[in-house]
Amino acid sequence: MTLPLFTYLTADVGYGTPPLSSWQPVAERPLLVLVGVTGVGKSTTLQALRHAGLLYHLLPDRRTLTDRIIIPQMQEAAGDAVEPVGDRARRFAYTREYRARHPGGMGEALASLFVDTEATPGLLLFDGLRGANEVSFAAMALPHAHFVVLEASDVVRVIRLMNRGDPFDVIVARTASQSVLQSGRFADLATPDAAALFSAQEQHALLELVDAGAVTQADLLAALAIVVEERRNYDPGATRRTLEACAAARTLVVDTVADAPRDVALRIITLLRQAV
């Protein structure tokens, strides 16, 4: 297959036909891949790794590859205008279509990258993969990659999303009536599938955060929508089991609730040192 003309994502990372012989596919490089859905602690882990002294070159992240590779390809295929997409629901629709055409999903997009070896010596790091299909493809296509599966319960993810104030975490669509919180009926919230993800105690705790004024109802609805929508697309348990089956020696599973960020970073560094 003929590669397309080279497209720069950054000055030292791109995809297509590499411009010079010094550019190398990521498959030939040592690579650390963070695996996990929104709110499991990837950003905190990256910060902890830096503080622990791990030297790495951060590749364009999942959002960038989605914006620059996946969404434009799907817009062109659908005959849509090629333009930025901020609404998370529309983004999921495009990424679902990409997976239908490219079973490896984001794993295929990651494996298509080339890096300038002169500008990116040493360890590369990618944040991050999510689905079982993605990690399965990446484990096969990236033989020098190590994978760190970051886990957190859905209720913790919702709380983290409400507190972090990331403007990207916005989903356009459903609204709830003003009487929802007063009635205490969690199932009447804007995300119909949310009740199935949380225990009665977790539902009560989330509603109490709103009643106490710690977060707004809009914050809760937005966070729930993100977690529910991701659950429709990704099964964290299946992703972990896939890596444990096909790349056990190259995989570390971490509970970011039970383990402090520094401890997580030290465990990752130990995994990398054992591989040398």
Side-chain angles (χ1 to χ4, degrees), residues 18-149:
L20 298 169
S21 60
S22 61
W23 286 70
Q24 194 174 33
V26 295
E28 298 178 6
R29 296 289 300 278
L31 173 65
L32 178 64
V33 179
L34 301 186
V35 179
V37 289
T38 308
V40 294
K42 295 188 294 295
S43 297
T44 300
T45 299
L46 285 174
Q47 184 178 28
L49 287 171
R50 288 193 293 269
H51 288 167
L54 181 66
L55 300 177
Y56 60 83
H57 184 85
L58 189 62
L59 294 172
D61 63 12
R62 182 184 187 91
R63 191 180 304 179
T64 300
L65 298 194
T66 300
D67 288 337
R68 299 288 304 279
I69 299 177
I70 292 175
I71 289 178
Q73 287 186 14
M74 295 303 97
Q75 288 174 326
E76 290 180 354
D80 297 338
V82 177
E83 60 185 7
V85 177
D87 173 44
R88 202 162 182 124
R90 286 184 62 205
R91 294 173 69 86
F92 277 127
Y94 281 127
T95 56
R96 278 195 297 268
E97 179 61 23
Y98 184 85
R99 287 199 304 273
R101 296 169 180 258
H102 303 273
M106 183 61 66
E108 291 195 35
L110 172 60
S112 73
L113 298 182
F114 286 79
V115 294
D116 181 351
T117 57
E118 296 178 356
T120 62
L123 178 69
L124 302 175
L125 191 149
F126 179 69
D127 167 21
L129 297 183
R130 292 179 180 172
N133 63 311
E134 298 176 2
V135 297
S136 176
F137 186 93
M140 175 185 65
L142 305 170
H144 303 294
H146 285 77
F147 303 88
V148 177
V149 180

Side-chain angles (χ1 to χ4, degrees), residues 163-229:
N163 289 337
R164 83 182 201 179
D166 185 341
F168 181 76
D169 292 326
V170 175
I171 188 165
V172 177
R174 302 149 292 202
T175 58
S177 69
Q178 293 299 313
S179 64
V180 168
L181 292 178
Q182 285 71 20
S183 71
R185 294 180 60 201
F186 191 87
D188 287 342
L189 286 170
T191 50
D193 299 331
L197 293 179
F198 304 99
S199 68
Q201 183 178 13
E202 290 172 338
Q203 294 175 24
H204 179 73
L206 292 172
L207 294 175
E208 281 294 305
L209 287 173
V210 178
D211 290 341
V215 299
T216 67
Q217 177 175 325
D219 292 335
L220 176 57
L221 296 179
L224 287 171
I226 290 168
V227 170
V228 169
E229 187 66 27

Side-chain angles (χ1 to χ4, degrees), residues 224-235:
L224 287 171
I226 290 168
V227 170
V228 169
E229 187 66 27
E230 286 193 342
R231 277 294 200 172
R232 293 191 183 111
N233 290 276
Y234 308 107
D235 180 349

